Amino acid sequence: MRKCEYCDFLSFKADDRTQREYVGALIKEIEYYGKLIGYQYEVTTVFLGGGTPSWLDTDLVVSIMNAIRQNFRVREDAEISIECNPGTVTLQKFAAYRNSGINRISIGCQSADNDELKLLGRVHTFEQFVKTFELARNVGFQNINVDLISCLPHQTVEKFMKTLQTVMRLKPEHISVYTLIIEEGTPFYEKYKFDDVKQQAGMQTEELPTEDEAYRIYKMTQSLLKENGWMQYETSNYAKPGFACRHNIGYWRRANYLGMGLGAASLLENVRYSNQTDLYEYMKDCYQIKDDPKKAGVGNNLHLSAQELSRKEQMEEFMFLGLRMPEGVYRSDFEAAFSMPVDAIYKDVIEELKKQKLLLSKEGRIALTDKGMDLSNYCMAKFLL
């Protein structure tokens, strides 16, 4: 196992003993929150991700699922996903996942071009991805997502369209297409940081696609997927009817979510939490979680940070997260959340963006137009109070 060249996720190598110790600590955290708030909420989605959980031995994944069900009220029709990388799963693993209640698989493909996979530092080939996809299908999974990354170094529009068309032929229910982001602290940052600045400034690049080429890739991706039945329901996500990821929609709708595990993030009753990122401190602290009874768990010793969002910050998040989706935000939802109509806060912004043909207001909702989506950073910045 090694980390990909572009990845800034919290992930690292761990031997079998460390994996078992970590899962044991995670289950302690699950039990803690089960006692604290497990009875208050009905769990509608579960997502096992962050790094590559499919590296874990099968019995560890099953034990995590058992702990969740024993400590929380999980709805019978809950969407339960696990991320996996090609080469880390077998037929037996997929069968065990399905038996444990997991019903959605997200596979990291990234590219159908083996040279691009090597460039990314991926440890699999496209052929191994196809084998993994087929194993999931053979076990009976009917809800599979495939992750792709566009705008790679030296990638042309034609090369990415070939990747996209190749993956489409497999007929996954969901396709995520993320534009490459050059993250500080990664090997890609050292290689391409100057090219990244040029791209963002609209200048001629040396290895990354230019801003115009990146735009063409995005628009052609939208068009090709729409023509073939994958509807865009968020900036980077496309799904067949009925298969939009409910877990992700929860993030964009600002639903409560509880993140457990190393570096996990949560949003509970307008408080954002972030778990600590030191593995051994995390594992030690899980066996003696200390909460502040005055704050009902805010800032316990597992948390690196706990920020209570102001009303202004809540409104800002409501708008710029919701506007990531072509469906936009519903006026009734804003009023229910803040006890006032959205126009009481954003009337001038809404009118300004409508005049610029970047925003539309109809059927009780506010959404960005196609042009507005293309200029989404500009539009969303207008909703900062």
Side-chain angles (χ1 to χ4, degrees):
M1 178 183 175
R2 73 180 184 201
K3 200 162 180 173
C4 300
E5 299 284 293
Y6 59 90
C7 180
D8 72 333
F9 286 0
L10 182 61
S11 59
F12 42 82
K13 295 179 181 178
D15 58 26
D16 183 68
R17 179 181 172 183
T18 305
Q19 288 185 20
R20 291 186 176 277
E21 289 177 349
Y22 171 71
V23 170
L26 172 60
I27 288 173
K28 288 294 181 184
E29 185 182 7
I30 291 170
E31 291 171 349
Y32 165 80
Y33 279 111
K35 291 175 184 173
L36 187 69
I37 60 171
Y39 61 91
Q40 293 180 32
Y41 302 96
E42 183 181 49
V43 176
T44 58
T45 69
V46 178
F47 199 102
L48 279 66
T52 310
S54 56
W55 273 112
L56 292 172
D57 285 347
T58 308
D59 66 304
L60 295 178
V61 174
V62 172
S63 67
I64 293 169
M65 286 302 306
N66 288 341
I68 291 169
R69 291 189 182 281
Q70 288 164 9
N71 289 278
F72 291 89
R73 294 187 296 118
V74 181
R75 207 164 79 181
E76 193 173 334
D77 66 343
E79 174 194 272
I80 305 177
S81 308
I82 187 169
E83 290 184 335
C84 61
N85 278 339
T88 65
V89 279
T90 61
L91 193 69
Q92 290 73 24
K93 266 193 177 183
F94 274 137
Y97 292 168
R98 196 152 184 259
N99 289 336
S100 73
I102 293 170
N103 52 31
R104 184 177 183 273
I105 300 293
S106 182
I107 309 175
C109 172
Q110 316 314 353
S111 174
D113 184 306
N114 285 332
D115 289 334
E116 290 182 344
L117 292 175
K118 285 180 184 176
L119 176 73
L120 288 167
R122 303 291 288 180
V123 296
H124 64 86
T125 63
F126 180 68
E127 291 72 25
Q128 288 171 319
F129 158 75
V130 173
K131 178 65 175 174
T132 300
F133 186 94
E134 289 173 344
L135 286 176
R137 276 285 190 250
N138 291 341
V139 165
F141 283 102
Q142 298 300 312
N143 191 355
I144 301 178
N145 168 62
V146 176
D147 279 347
L148 297 175
I149 300 179
S150 69
C151 302
L152 304 180
H154 308 292
Q155 188 178 69
T156 62
V157 176
E158 292 71 27
K159 282 181 79 173
F160 183 72
M161 287 303 113
K162 185 177 179 182
T163 278
L164 187 57
Q165 289 168 331
T166 302
V167 168
M168 285 166 55
R169 283 195 284 273
L170 294 170
K171 299 181 180 178
E173 286 71 30
H174 191 286
I175 298 176
S176 297
V177 183
Y178 300 105
T179 302
L180 177 68
I181 297 174
I182 306 299
E183 299 281 8
E184 214 170 326
T186 65
F188 263 29
Y189 181 77
E190 297 306 315
K191 292 179 186 176
Y192 305 116
K193 58 185 174 184
F194 297 115
D195 228 19
D196 185 44
V197 172
K198 290 179 182 178
Q199 185 192 64
Q200 293 184 46
M203 298 166 63
Q204 182 60 45
T205 53
E206 294 178 24
E207 297 182 90
L208 295 175
T210 65
E211 186 181 43
D212 286 346
E213 288 169 333
Y215 177 73
R216 283 183 61 211
I217 289 172
Y218 176 68
K219 296 308 286 184
M220 289 184 71
T221 297
Q222 274 185 320
S223 178
L224 186 61
L225 287 171
K226 183 178 180 180
E227 287 171 9
N228 288 276
W230 283 273
M231 296 296 105
Q232 185 180 26
Y233 69 95
E234 190 271 341
T235 306
S236 304
N237 289 279
Y238 304 80
K240 293 285 188 178
F243 290 96
C245 179
R246 286 154 48 191
H247 189 83
N248 285 345
I249 289 173
Y251 291 144
W252 302 316
R253 294 288 186 214
R254 294 191 78 253
N256 286 309
Y257 61 89
L258 174 63
M260 293 176 286
L262 191 67
S266 306
L267 174 67
L268 281 174
E269 307 305 339
N270 292 309
V271 181
R272 288 202 176 276
Y273 303 92
S274 176
N275 270 10
Q276 59 179 268
T277 56
D278 183 289
L279 175 63
Y280 296 100
E281 284 297 311
Y282 169 81
M283 291 195 297
K284 174 174 67 71
D285 289 345
C286 278
Y287 286 88
Q288 46 181 358
I289 300 175
K290 300 171 185 174
D291 62 304
D292 183 342
K294 295 177 184 176
K295 298 181 180 178
V298 173
N300 68 40
N301 61 324
L302 292 183
H303 294 138
L304 201 61
S305 66
Q307 177 199 1
E308 191 163 0
L309 298 173
S310 68
R311 186 173 172 81
K312 173 177 78 73
E313 289 168 328
Q314 293 170 39
M315 289 179 176
E316 291 171 344
E317 282 193 358
F318 186 96
M319 297 305 293
F320 62 69
L321 287 175
L323 289 173
R324 288 178 62 91
M325 296 181 286
E327 188 180 47
V329 299
Y330 285 87
R331 291 174 175 275
S332 57
D333 289 345
F334 187 97
E335 189 158 353
F338 302 109
S339 301
M340 63 174 63
V342 66
D343 288 317
I345 305 296
Y346 288 116
K347 182 178 180 180
D348 291 344
V349 173
I350 291 168
E351 290 305 315
E352 178 188 351
L353 293 177
K354 281 169 66 176
K355 286 177 184 174
Q356 296 174 28
K357 301 193 184 307
L358 301 176
L359 192 78
L360 56 83
S361 179
K362 65 176 185 179
E363 299 169 354
R365 61 188 175 90
I366 300 161
L368 296 180
T369 62
D370 287 344
K371 183 182 176 184
M373 278 289 188
D374 294 340
L375 298 171
S376 59
N377 288 342
Y378 165 80
C379 294
M380 290 173 190
K382 292 284 187 181
F383 288 92
L384 296 175
L385 294 170

